[in-house]
Amino acid sequence: MKRILSILVCWALFQPVATAQEQPKARIAGLESNPEYMSLLRDDVSMQQRMDSLQVVVDGMREKFVDNSGNRKKYSAEILRIEGEIYALRGEKSRLAKRINTIEQNWIMENMANGVAVEQTETSADTVMPQAAGVQYAELTRNAWFSNELSSEDYAVLRKAQKRESVVADLVDAYAACYDSLAMVRNEYAAADNEASADSLMSLFLTRQGRCNEISDSLASTWSYVFDNKTYLYDLLFDKQGRTDMLAQSEHNLFEMRRNIEKMEGLYASDAIVDYFFQKRYVVDYEIAVANAAGLQKAADSLAVVRKSIDGMRYRFDKLNFKRRYFLDYEPLKFSTKYVYNSKNPVPECTVYENGEIFRIKLGEFSARQPVSKFKGLEPVAYLRTPDGGWRYYAGGYRSVEELEKDLQTVKRLGFRSADVAAWIDGNYANSRAELEELMSKHFHIEITGAEELSPEVRRIIGQNAPDSEISRIGADVFVVNGFKSREAADLIARSVVSVDSSLKVTVGESGYGAE
């Protein structure tokens, strides 16, 4: 198995990169002499080849994962590792693309200022200036009709918005890849069989979740610029031409778009992706109308293809619920006629967990240590010393009170008539069913004020230390973090948040279930 994995990975890592005979062509004539630019192009090609090769390996491993149940753990671990490398490469490739675009734009601006004609290849069509009237282009805003109808300043904004479309598309793809990676980590976490592995996977999940949120935020910001400026300028064009019919249709479509977005708000992992899906459809429909009104048939045909692809876009990314796991030793009672405990195997001290929930049967409280014969036929049994020097004895370990109930009745029939429910919930102890009900009737929350948005660092601190909590905005600069079962846990997070950002005001509150 290990040999197969090693061969596959080595094959991917040593796939050929761009050779001297495969030098990428400069996307803008005149930049061939720029060594940094050409080096970046080569790196971009090489990185894409490596990503493609690694993806082939991952696809093959996924097939083996399905067909080979005996080695799934090894395959899943290797898939996670390689996908992490692909993810890192994708981020590096995005940075390369930004640098390449910056060099191209700077070169264009410098040469335009000097009156030099700029010749570009089709791969950089987004930076081509409008051509002579009568020449039509598939890319709508490249057509001379726009430069004739708009001021030079407005046209420059339109072209900038068009250029950012490619950045938005990359962010959408990056989010999908990040989400898929996150889902796989979540599934691995659910299947982890020990605390060390689970903690490592939880850390990885939180890191990638933060990255997914960053991508989502970048998408929202970048797309907002595109959407706002394109729709404003198209409205301006139709208003200038007195096309009230087109403006009315646009207003109707805008209302429908907003209604669809409102219906889906908060339902999925990324509102930004949902917003983009509906807003992009609206923009493309508007652009088709603009192209038809301007007689730009080539652009209209191209946009019809884009519209079809948008309809098939993946935008419903389900929320990935992540419940922290605590590796508690749950063990329902075993009943027999044998003596389980003796001088060589005495009743052990009860394990108290600081996190998680565990329910036990409290057999009773005694002023002195009880003989092991008292617990004939019961396993497991454990004890704790009380603050006044007494002895409490417990039996079993359960995930819920409901799971415990049947054994509790059996224990009472065996003579432990005062047996009751005992529970530890995130370090809080309930010594009876009444105390448990009181404990369960409370929850705690944190209120954070003083910022219009919580910083990524604050969100990371909350996510790492309270993965089961939920952050909600209840005002312009007020956030509430719900989901704490003890004041101690809420206080700890509150102190951590203040340590990260002392400008925030953080308070801990208590209320009953349903009051959130």
Side-chain angles (χ1 to χ4, degrees), residues 24-32 37-38 41 44 97 100-102 104 119-127 163:
K25 183 180 179 181
R27 304 196 305 190
I28 297 179
L31 274 175
E32 296 90 344
Y37 177 73
M38 296 305 294
L41 290 182
D44 187 61
I100 290 169
N101 288 335
T102 298
E104 290 176 345
E119 181 183 350
Q120 299 167 303
T121 65
E122 288 192 17
T123 56
S124 59
D126 55 341
T127 60
K163 181 173 178 59

Side-chain angles (χ1 to χ4, degrees), residues 399-417:
R399 290 178 172 80
S400 67
V401 175
E402 291 74 21
E403 187 180 328
L404 168 152
E405 288 289 1
K406 183 178 179 180
D407 285 351
L408 176 59
Q409 299 308 315
T410 302
V411 165
K412 287 185 175 182
R413 288 196 297 270
L414 291 176
F416 296 92
R417 301 194 180 281

Side-chain angles (χ1 to χ4, degrees), residues 331-335 361 363 378-381 395-398 407-408 411:
E331 189 174 0
L333 268 177
K334 298 175 183 177
F335 300 94
I361 297 172
L363 299 173
L378 295 182
E379 181 188 8
V381 174
Y398 304 84
D407 285 351
L408 176 59
V411 165

Side-chain angles (χ1 to χ4, degrees), residues 202-486:
M202 183 180 73
S203 178
L204 180 59
F205 180 91
L206 293 171
T207 298
R208 292 191 182 178
Q209 185 181 55
R211 178 57 183 153
C212 287
N213 291 338
E214 289 174 4
I215 295 171
S216 182
D217 291 344
S218 294
L219 170 63
S221 175
T222 306
W223 173 245
S224 178
Y225 179 90
V226 176
F227 180 82
D228 291 346
N229 283 291
K230 277 194 168 186
T231 54
Y232 167 76
L233 291 170
Y234 296 152
D235 283 347
L236 185 67
L237 284 168
F238 282 135
D239 184 59
K240 179 181 176 181
Q241 295 181 352
R243 294 295 303 270
T244 55
D245 58 328
M246 302 298 293
L247 290 172
Q249 183 62 49
S250 171
E251 186 67 25
H252 171 76
N253 292 345
L254 185 65
F255 175 79
E256 289 296 318
M257 178 205 77
R258 287 173 176 165
R259 189 174 67 171
N260 286 326
I261 288 175
E262 288 173 0
K263 286 193 298 185
M264 291 198 170
E265 185 175 3
L267 294 181
Y268 297 100
S270 171
D271 282 337
I273 293 286
V274 174
D275 292 354
Y276 171 74
F277 171 75
F278 288 105
Q279 290 179 350
K280 177 64 175 174
R281 287 202 313 182
Y282 168 81
V283 168
V284 173
D285 285 341
Y286 207 163
E287 290 181 322
I288 291 173
V290 172
N292 288 328
L296 301 172
Q297 190 58 47
K298 193 171 184 179
D301 292 343
S302 176
L303 287 164
V305 175
V306 174
R307 181 63 167 81
K308 188 175 181 180
S309 69
I310 290 295
D311 285 341
M313 173 186 163
R314 176 188 179 193
Y315 69 96
R316 292 185 176 97
F317 292 90
D318 292 331
K319 290 183 177 181
L320 294 174
N321 297 319
F322 187 90
K323 185 173 179 60
R324 183 166 186 173
R325 295 177 61 197
Y326 298 104
F327 287 78
L328 283 61
D329 290 326
Y330 297 111
E331 189 174 0
L333 268 177
K334 298 175 183 177
F335 300 94
S336 70
T337 57
K338 298 180 181 180
Y339 284 95
V340 177
Y341 300 102
N342 51 49
S343 59
K344 293 183 179 180
N345 181 36
V347 172
E349 184 174 6
C350 184
T351 301
V352 176
Y353 300 97
E354 294 183 2
N355 297 295
E357 298 181 0
I358 190 167
F359 302 86
R360 303 185 193 279
I361 297 172
K362 188 184 72 172
L363 299 173
E365 297 190 28
F366 307 91
S367 59
R369 187 167 193 160
Q370 298 298 294
V372 294
S373 59
K374 187 177 184 69
F375 309 109
K376 178 183 177 181
L378 295 182
E379 181 188 8
V381 174
Y383 75 87
L384 280 179
R385 299 299 303 274
T386 64
D388 60 359
W391 295 74
R392 285 184 187 141
Y393 286 86
Y394 306 93
Y398 304 84
R399 290 178 172 80
S400 67
V401 175
E402 291 74 21
E403 187 180 328
L404 168 152
E405 288 289 1
K406 183 178 179 180
D407 285 351
L408 176 59
Q409 299 308 315
T410 302
V411 165
K412 287 185 175 182
R413 288 196 297 270
L414 291 176
F416 296 92
R417 301 194 180 281
S418 62
D420 203 344
V421 176
W424 287 261
I425 299 177
D426 290 335
N428 293 282
Y429 174 61
N431 189 41
S432 64
R433 190 185 298 272
E435 288 186 11
L436 175 61
E437 290 176 356
E438 181 181 358
L439 179 62
M440 294 294 287
S441 70
K442 299 177 181 178
H443 72 263
F444 299 85
H445 65 268
I446 296 171
E447 187 172 296
I448 304 173
T449 59
E452 293 183 0
E453 291 292 344
L454 295 182
S455 69
E457 183 64 14
V458 168
R459 288 183 177 273
R460 184 185 66 79
I461 286 292
I462 295 172
Q464 284 183 339
N465 293 282
D468 297 336
S469 64
E470 293 184 358
I471 303 175
S472 304
R473 181 195 291 275
I474 62 171
D477 64 344
V478 183
F479 296 84
V480 169
V481 185
N482 291 307
F484 299 98
K485 295 179 181 177
S486 69

Side-chain angles (χ1 to χ4, degrees), residues 60-77:
M61 286 185 179
R62 285 201 177 110
E63 292 180 6
K64 292 180 173 61
F65 179 87
V66 173
D67 298 335
N68 193 335
S69 59
N71 288 311
R72 283 183 177 176
K73 184 175 292 187
K74 292 181 180 179
Y75 279 122
S76 63

